[in-house]
Amino acid sequence: MSPMQMKTPKGTRDWAGEDITLREHVFDKIRSIFRLHGGAELDTPVFELKSILTDKYGEDAKLIYDLQDQGGELCALRYDLTVPFARWLAMSNVRQIKRYQIGKVYRRDQPAIARGRLREFYQCDFDYAGTFDLMVPDSEVLSVIVEVFEALRINVTIKLNHRCILDGMFAAVGVPQDQLRSISSAVDKLDKSPWEEVKKEMLQKGLAAEVVDKLGSYLLSSDISNASDIESTLSFIKSDEVLMANEDVKKGVQEMELLSQYLSAYDIATYVKFDLSLARGLDYYTGLIYEVIPESFSTVNGAALQVGSIAAGGRYDTLVGMFSRRDIPCVGISFGVDRILTILNARQNRVEDPKPKIDTWIIASDSSSLVEERMAIARELRQAYISVDFNPNASQKPRKQLEAADCVVVAVYLEEDTETAGGIRVKVLTLPEKNLDKATVVDREDLVDEVRKRLV
Amino acid sequence: MSPMQMKTPKGTRDWAGEDITLREHVFDKIRSIFRLHGGAELDTPVFELKSILTDKYGEDAKLIYDLQDQGGELCALRYDLTVPFARWLAMSNVRQIKRYQIGKVYRRDQPAIARGRLREFYQCDFDYAGTFDLMVPDSEVLSVIVEVFEALRINVTIKLNHRCILDGMFAAVGVPQDQLRSISSAVDKLDKSPWEEVKKEMLQKGLAAEVVDKLGSYLLSSDISNASDIESTLSFIKSDEVLMANEDVKKGVQEMELLSQYLSAYDIATYVKFDLSLARGLDYYTGLIYEVIPESFSTVNGAALQVGSIAAGGRYDTLVGMFSRRDIPCVGISFGVDRILTILNARQNRVEDPKPKIDTWIIASDSSSLVEERMAIARELRQAYISVDFNPNASQKPRKQLEAADCVVVAVYLEEDTETAGGIRVKVLTLPEKNLDKATVVDREDLVDEVRKRLV
C-alpha cells in the first residue's frame, strides 16, 4: 500500500458515466452544426514549440504550461486552439477554409470547478479563414453561435465590440499607442470588477487620471449601459465628435453597420448587444470581438460572474502573418464546453433518454453454466451488430443473473435439454418482464432474427 | 516576419483532410465494437501526477514526458491509458466495468513516422475489470481484438504468452528472482533483434552464461519456432519435466488450456499463436499477454519489424492495488491507431465514398450579389439540417460561383425579378449538371422541401 496521493492534478478531472454521455451529446450537437456550415475537422498536437506560443496571449502568457527541458526542443501545452490553427494554416497550402477542432487546452489559472473553470478544459472551435467580402464570414460565425445554442436550448446574449472602435476610443481620449493592449486588458475586467478597481489598475499602469476619467465617461455612459442593441450604440458613437474624428472608430462603425444588416438577414439580430466595454484579453484580435453570456446569468449587472462567458471569439487578421510571409484573415468562435455542461447540469437538462448500454443479456439455468454456449451466441449476436453481454461469473443462479440485466431489452435464456438438437434449449424474453416462465422457446438458427425483431 | 521554426514538435503531427476522415472512420468502427460489448467511455487528463506514473513502466520510464516545475505539483504526460484507468478505478467506487478510452499518449521515443511511430499517438483501449471466472474476461478481450480487425478488414495473428509461464521458465532455468523483469525486457526484443544480441544484453545484465544458454534452448526450440498454435506449445511445455516442476508454469498451463477452450467457443482459435518468446516490456502484466501482428508482415521471421504490433495488452491483476488497498483484477487491449492507419494507407484501403462536405450551394446572378438573401436562405436550410454554403466573395459571376461548388449536390440560384413576389426568383439545379438554363423555378416557400427532395 503506497502513501501516494490519489488524485488527478490540480484543475483537472476524469470524465465518466453520465457526465461523459452528456458531454458527447453536446459535442455531437456542436459538430453537426459545424458540418452544416461545411466545416472540416483539424487535430493538432497537444503541445507546440514554445516559440509558437510566445507573444500571442498578452498578460495571460504566464498561464502557459511548459514541458520540462529533457533535451531537444522547448515545448508548451497549447493554450487555445486558435494559435495552433494559425500555425497550421501558415505551414499548409490552404488559403481558405472553414475548419473546426474539438480538443483540450491548458491554462495554469486558479481553478473554480463548480463554475466549470478548470486548468484542462475542452474547447470547440469554428474558424472561417480567407480573404472575403467584409463581414460576410463574421456574420456567418455569429449565426453558428446562435444555431449551437438553439440546438442546446440555452438562451444567450452575444456581446459584441470592435477592436478598431475600442482602440480608436483609447486613442481619442489619449491612451498612448504602446499601452493600448495593456489598458484593453484592464477594461476587459469590467464584467467581473467594479469601475473603481479597473480605474486603480489603469492608474497603476501609468495612465493619467484625466485620461482614465474620460475613458470612464464612455465606458460607463448611461446611454449604453448594460449593452444596447447595435443601432443604439452606433448612434451614441456617431453623435460623439471626439470619437468620430478618429479614423479607426470610423472604420469600425462602417463595419458594424454592415454587420447589423447581415445579422438581420440571418434573423439573429435579437441575440446581439453592442458593448463598448467588451475588450477580450487576447492580443491577436484585430476587428470584431464577441462573448456569449447565458441569459439567465446576464440580466443583473455583475451576475455574469457566476459562469462567465460560455463562448468567445473574434476576428484576427494578422495572426497567420506572424508565422508566415502571407497573411490570411480569420474570424472564429470558441465554445467553452465545460461551462456549457455546468449550465446543462444546473438546469437538470440532462440527456432525457440515455441509451441502454447493452441490448441483450445471456443467462443460463442453474444446472449448468453453459459458458461456452454463451460465448458462441454472444459472438453471433455481435456479428449481427447487436450489443450483448453475460455475467462472467457464470455459475450464478438465473434469477440473479437476470437482476443484473439493467438497461437491457432482451434476455436470452439457455437450458440444457437432451430432447433439443445440440442439447441446448434457447428461450427469449423481452424485459422488463423478468418471469422466466414467460420466455418463448426459439430455434437456435432463428435466434438472431428473433432478438433483432424484439429490439426494433 | 519572424525567423521562428514553422513545425510541430518532433514526433508529433497535425491531422487534417483525408487523414482525419480515415482516422475518424477507424475510431467509429472500433468504438462500435467496444459498445457491442457494453463498453462505457472514460476520459482522463492528458497529464497525471508524476508519482502515479512512477514504477509502472520498467526500463521505458525514461521515455516519460515531464511537465516543468512551475510551482505546485510535479506532473507528467500520460504514457498509456492503462495506468490512468487503474488510478481512476482506485479512486472510484466502481468494482467491475468494461471501460473504453480513445486518447493520445506520449513517449519520448525515437520517432519513425513512415512506420506510424510517433511521440504523440492515439491509443484505443478496452479493459475488462472485476473479479470473475478464470479466463472468461480474457477470452472476451481476445474476441474484441478479432472483431475490430475483422471490421477493419486487416488479417492479423494474435501472439499469446502467459507471464506465469514466462517467469516460471526463467525461474526453472535459474534466473534470479530480482532479475525477472529485466531479463523479460531483454527477451521482449527477440522480435526485433537476433538471439546473439539478446544474449549479449542478458550477459551484460549479469546473467550466467549457462542460464542464458538454457533459456535459449527453450526460446529457440524448433518445436515451437515461429509461434505454434496453443495445443502444440502446451504439449511442448507439458512434455518438459523441468518446466512442469515449476508451480507458476503449472498454473499458467491450466489457464492456457481453459483459454483454448473458450477461444474455440468464440470461434477465434485460428487467429491465435502461443509464442513463448513474447514478453511485453511493461512491468504491470501478471497473466496472459498478447500482441497483434498484421498478417502480411508476420509471415517471414523478423519482418514484423516493419510495423511492429498494431495492438497489445494483457492481464494486470495488481496494478489497481498499487494505488489502493483493494485489488481489482483487469485485462485489456490497446489498439495502436497510427500504425493501423499506416497499414490502411499502404493498402490504399481508404474510405471509398467520402461524404460531400456540403449538400447545397447558393449562387446569385451577376446583376446583384443578393448577399442578404443568401444568408436568409442559408439559415433556413441549416435549420432544416441541410448543410449549405455560398461564396463569401458575393460579387463573383454565377458560373464561377458554380465552379467552386465541388462535392455539392444541389445548387440554389437567385435572380432579381420584379415580377416575382419579394423581388427574387428562386431556381434549383441538381449537380453535376452545371447549365444554369436547366434550373427549375420554385416558389420561395417550397424551397426547403424541393432541396430536401433532391438530396434524398
Side-chain angles (χ1 to χ4, degrees):
Chain A
M1 176 68 201
S2 125
M4 81 180 69
Q5 260 193 305
M6 286 310 300
K7 63 188 281 293
T8 61
K10 183 175 179 183
T12 69
R13 57 163 293 188
D14 297 316
W15 291 87
E18 275 186 36
D19 284 349
I20 197 167
T21 306
L22 180 64
R23 193 193 75 186
E24 291 301 310
H25 168 79
V26 169
F27 283 165
D28 286 346
K29 290 264 184 197
I30 294 178
R31 203 182 282 117
S32 71
I33 303 284
F34 290 169
R35 288 182 181 163
L36 285 177
H37 288 260
E41 193 169 1
L42 175 70
D43 176 29
T44 62
V46 159
F47 52 87
E48 295 276 345
L49 294 181
K50 178 75 180 174
S51 57
I52 298 287
L53 305 189
T54 304
D55 295 333
K56 308 297 183 302
Y57 300 111
E59 294 176 4
D60 289 346
K62 63 182 184 296
L63 304 179
I64 292 173
Y65 275 96
D66 293 328
L67 293 193
Q68 193 172 309
D69 181 2
Q70 293 169 287
E73 303 157 338
L74 291 181
C75 299
L77 298 186
R78 62 186 177 204
Y79 182 85
D80 62 13
L81 302 176
T82 311
V83 169
F85 170 54
R87 191 263 309 144
W88 174 80
L89 265 181
M91 282 172 63
S92 79
N93 296 320
V94 173
R95 283 167 186 259
Q96 54 184 65
I97 190 172
K98 293 179 192 172
R99 92 83 180 73
Y100 70 88
Q101 182 167 3
I102 297 180
K104 290 172 171 177
V105 301
Y106 300 87
R107 302 183 184 180
R108 296 181 61 258
D109 217 336
Q110 207 44 43
I113 292 165
R115 277 181 270 149
R117 278 177 68 96
L118 287 151
R119 290 180 156 197
E120 176 186 62
F121 59 99
Y122 274 93
Q123 288 194 333
C124 298
D125 278 27
F126 180 91
D127 292 80
Y128 199 155
T131 305
F132 299 119
D133 289 355
L134 218 54
M135 303 317 273
V136 173
D138 310 61
S139 55
E140 181 164 336
V141 170
L142 291 172
S143 82
V144 166
I145 298 173
V146 170
E147 286 161 29
V148 162
F149 289 110
E150 280 178 348
L152 297 173
R153 294 182 202 178
I154 297 177
N155 294 325
V156 297
T157 298
I158 305 174
K159 293 206 286 186
L160 298 178
N161 199 359
H162 197 296
R163 272 277 165 97
C164 292
I165 295 176
L166 194 68
D167 290 359
M169 178 173 72
F170 290 160
V173 299
V175 176
Q177 196 64 25
D178 62 351
Q179 280 199 288
L180 288 185
R181 288 284 66 77
S182 156
I183 295 307
S184 181
S185 155
V187 169
D188 193 47
K189 290 168 189 153
L190 263 181
D191 60 337
K192 292 172 200 151
S193 314
W195 169 247
E196 287 311 315
E197 261 178 53
V198 171
K199 183 175 172 174
K200 208 170 124 196
E201 181 178 335
M202 292 183 185
L203 293 172
Q204 276 166 355
K205 282 177 170 172
L207 210 57
E210 62 167 61
V211 172
V212 174
D213 287 339
K214 265 197 265 177
L215 198 50
S217 74
Y218 286 119
L219 296 175
L220 305 173
S221 164
S222 63
D223 294 335
I224 51 166
S225 63
N226 264 327
S228 308
D229 57 56
I230 297 185
E231 295 312 319
S232 311
T233 306
L234 278 176
S235 304
F236 172 81
I237 298 169
K238 285 157 83 176
S239 69
D240 188 299
E241 281 174 26
V242 178
L243 290 181
M244 287 308 282
N246 182 286
E247 285 305 314
D248 281 341
V249 171
K250 253 195 262 178
K251 180 176 174 249
V253 165
Q254 274 167 10
E255 291 194 9
M256 292 303 281
E257 283 176 333
L258 189 57
L259 180 74
S260 176
Q261 235 173 288
Y262 291 164
L263 296 186
S264 298
Y266 275 122
D267 192 21
I268 58 174
T270 52
Y271 288 95
V272 170
K273 300 277 182 205
F274 186 174
D275 183 351
L276 275 183
S277 74
L278 178 72
R280 308 280 306 122
L282 302 178
D283 273 4
Y284 51 64
Y285 292 118
T286 55
L288 189 69
I289 49 178
Y290 32 84
E291 259 181 27
V292 181
I293 311 291
E295 201 177 58
S296 53
F297 299 120
S298 64
T299 46
V300 186
N301 204 5
L305 189 66
Q306 293 180 12
V307 191
S309 65
I310 54 178
R315 175 164 283 284
Y316 48 103
D317 284 351
T318 56
L319 185 57
V320 178
M322 291 176 78
F323 296 121
S324 99
R325 223 171 279 275
R326 131 184 92 85
D327 251 334
I328 300 180
C330 299
V331 59
I333 180 69
S334 178
F335 294 91
V337 178
D338 303 74
R339 292 182 184 186
I340 290 171
L341 291 172
T342 303
I343 293 174
L344 293 180
N345 276 320
R347 292 190 184 169
Q348 305 199 289
N349 186 4
R350 306 199 63 118
V351 184
E352 295 95 8
D353 182 25
K355 283 206 180 128
K357 267 174 56 188
I358 276 287
D359 292 327
T360 316
W361 193 254
I362 307 172
I363 60 180
S365 65
D366 337 13
S367 55
S368 160
S369 59
L370 297 175
V371 185
E372 289 163 54
E373 288 72 15
R374 297 192 211 193
M375 289 173 174
I377 287 173
R379 166 104 161 124
E380 214 174 298
L381 288 169
R382 286 169 188 148
Q383 282 178 325
Y385 301 105
I386 295 166
S387 65
V388 54
D389 209 351
F390 57 87
N391 190 327
N393 288 330
S395 56
Q396 268 190 349
K397 293 212 179 288
R399 233 159 280 276
K400 189 135 195 226
Q401 293 173 41
L402 203 51
E403 273 166 28
D406 250 352
C407 287
V408 165
V409 184
V410 175
V412 175
Y413 180 46
L414 310 180
E415 291 174 315
E416 289 199 314
D417 174 40
T418 49
E419 290 177 23
T420 308
I424 311 286
R425 194 190 300 127
V426 180
K427 291 179 175 177
V428 174
L429 185 69
T430 301
L431 278 52
E433 175 61 64
K434 295 218 173 180
N435 184 350
L436 286 173
D437 297 335
K438 299 203 175 160
T440 317
V441 178
V442 296
D443 280 348
R444 180 71 180 74
E445 57 269 30
D446 297 336
L447 178 61
V448 170
D449 284 343
E450 180 66 28
V451 170
R452 192 185 279 123
K453 214 169 66 190
R454 286 164 181 253
L455 288 175
V456 175
Chain B
M1 175 70 202
S2 127
M4 81 179 70
Q5 263 193 303
M6 285 311 300
K7 61 188 283 292
T8 62
K10 184 177 179 180
T12 68
R13 56 163 294 187
D14 297 316
W15 292 87
E18 276 186 32
D19 284 350
I20 197 167
T21 306
L22 180 63
R23 192 193 77 186
E24 290 303 309
H25 168 79
V26 169
F27 284 164
D28 286 347
K29 290 266 183 194
I30 294 178
R31 202 182 282 118
S32 71
I33 303 285
F34 290 169
R35 287 183 181 162
L36 285 176
H37 288 259
E41 193 170 1
L42 175 69
D43 176 29
T44 62
V46 159
F47 52 88
E48 295 276 345
L49 293 181
K50 178 78 182 170
S51 57
I52 298 287
L53 304 190
T54 305
D55 295 333
K56 307 298 181 306
Y57 300 111
E59 295 176 4
D60 289 345
K62 63 181 184 296
L63 304 180
I64 293 173
Y65 275 96
D66 293 330
L67 292 193
Q68 192 173 309
D69 181 2
Q70 293 169 287
E73 303 158 337
L74 291 180
C75 298
L77 298 186
R78 63 188 176 201
Y79 183 86
D80 62 12
L81 302 175
T82 311
V83 168
F85 171 53
R87 190 265 307 145
W88 174 79
L89 266 181
M91 281 171 64
S92 78
N93 296 320
V94 173
R95 283 165 185 262
Q96 54 185 66
I97 191 172
K98 295 179 192 172
R99 93 83 180 73
Y100 70 89
Q101 182 166 3
I102 297 180
K104 289 172 173 179
V105 300
Y106 300 86
R107 301 184 183 178
R108 296 182 60 259
D109 218 335
Q110 206 45 43
I113 292 165
R115 277 181 270 151
R117 278 176 68 95
L118 287 151
R119 290 180 157 197
E120 175 185 64
F121 59 98
Y122 274 93
Q123 289 194 332
C124 298
D125 278 27
F126 180 91
D127 293 80
Y128 200 154
T131 305
F132 299 119
D133 289 355
L134 220 52
M135 302 318 270
V136 173
D138 310 63
S139 54
E140 181 165 336
V141 170
L142 291 172
S143 81
V144 166
I145 298 174
V146 169
E147 286 161 29
V148 163
F149 288 109
E150 281 176 348
L152 297 174
R153 294 181 203 179
I154 297 177
N155 293 326
V156 297
T157 298
I158 305 173
K159 294 206 286 185
L160 298 178
N161 199 1
H162 197 297
R163 273 277 166 96
C164 292
I165 294 175
L166 193 69
D167 290 359
M169 179 173 72
F170 290 159
V173 300
V175 176
Q177 196 64 27
D178 62 352
Q179 282 199 284
L180 288 185
R181 287 284 66 76
S182 155
I183 296 307
S184 181
S185 156
V187 168
D188 191 47
K189 291 169 188 154
L190 263 182
D191 61 338
K192 291 172 199 148
S193 313
W195 170 248
E196 287 311 315
E197 262 179 50
V198 172
K199 182 174 173 173
K200 209 170 123 195
E201 180 177 337
M202 291 183 183
L203 292 171
Q204 274 166 354
K205 281 177 169 171
L207 209 59
E210 61 168 61
V211 173
V212 174
D213 288 338
K214 264 197 265 177
L215 198 49
S217 73
Y218 285 120
L219 296 176
L220 305 174
S221 165
S222 62
D223 295 335
I224 52 166
S225 62
N226 264 328
S228 308
D229 59 56
I230 298 185
E231 294 313 319
S232 311
T233 307
L234 278 176
S235 305
F236 171 83
I237 299 169
K238 285 157 83 177
S239 67
D240 188 299
E241 282 176 24
V242 178
L243 291 181
M244 289 306 283
N246 181 287
E247 284 305 314
D248 281 340
V249 171
K250 252 194 263 178
K251 179 175 173 249
V253 164
Q254 275 168 11
E255 292 195 9
M256 291 303 280
E257 282 175 334
L258 190 56
L259 180 73
S260 175
Q261 235 173 289
Y262 291 164
L263 296 188
S264 298
Y266 275 122
D267 191 22
I268 58 173
T270 52
Y271 288 94
V272 169
K273 300 277 180 204
F274 186 173
D275 182 352
L276 275 183
S277 73
L278 178 73
R280 309 277 308 120
L282 302 177
D283 272 5
Y284 50 63
Y285 292 118
T286 55
L288 189 68
I289 48 179
Y290 31 85
E291 258 180 27
V292 181
I293 311 291
E295 204 178 56
S296 53
F297 300 119
S298 64
T299 46
V300 185
N301 203 6
L305 187 65
Q306 292 182 9
V307 191
S309 64
I310 54 178
R315 176 163 282 285
Y316 49 101
D317 284 351
T318 57
L319 184 57
V320 178
M322 290 176 79
F323 296 120
S324 99
R325 223 171 280 275
R326 126 185 96 86
D327 251 332
I328 301 180
C330 299
V331 61
I333 180 68
S334 178
F335 293 90
V337 178
D338 303 73
R339 293 182 182 187
I340 289 171
L341 291 173
T342 303
I343 293 174
L344 294 181
N345 275 321
R347 292 188 183 170
Q348 305 199 288
N349 187 3
R350 305 197 66 118
V351 183
E352 295 95 8
D353 180 28
K355 284 208 180 126
K357 269 172 56 188
I358 276 286
D359 292 328
T360 316
W361 193 256
I362 307 172
I363 60 180
S365 65
D366 337 14
S367 54
S368 162
S369 60
L370 299 173
V371 185
E372 288 163 53
E373 289 71 15
R374 298 192 210 193
M375 289 171 171
I377 288 173
R379 166 105 162 125
E380 215 175 296
L381 288 169
R382 286 170 187 146
Q383 282 177 325
Y385 301 105
I386 295 166
S387 65
V388 56
D389 210 350
F390 57 88
N391 191 326
N393 289 330
S395 55
Q396 268 191 348
K397 293 209 177 291
R399 231 157 283 275
K400 189 131 195 229
Q401 293 174 41
L402 202 52
E403 272 166 29
D406 252 351
C407 287
V408 164
V409 184
V410 175
V412 175
Y413 180 46
L414 310 180
E415 291 173 314
E416 289 198 315
D417 174 43
T418 48
E419 290 176 22
T420 309
I424 311 285
R425 194 190 300 130
V426 179
K427 291 180 174 175
V428 173
L429 184 69
T430 301
L431 278 51
E433 176 60 63
K434 295 217 171 181
N435 183 350
L436 286 173
D437 297 336
K438 299 201 176 162
T440 317
V441 177
V442 296
D443 280 348
R444 179 72 182 78
E445 57 267 30
D446 297 336
L447 179 62
V448 170
D449 284 343
E450 179 64 30
V451 170
R452 192 185 279 121
K453 215 169 65 192
R454 286 164 181 253
L455 287 175
V456 176

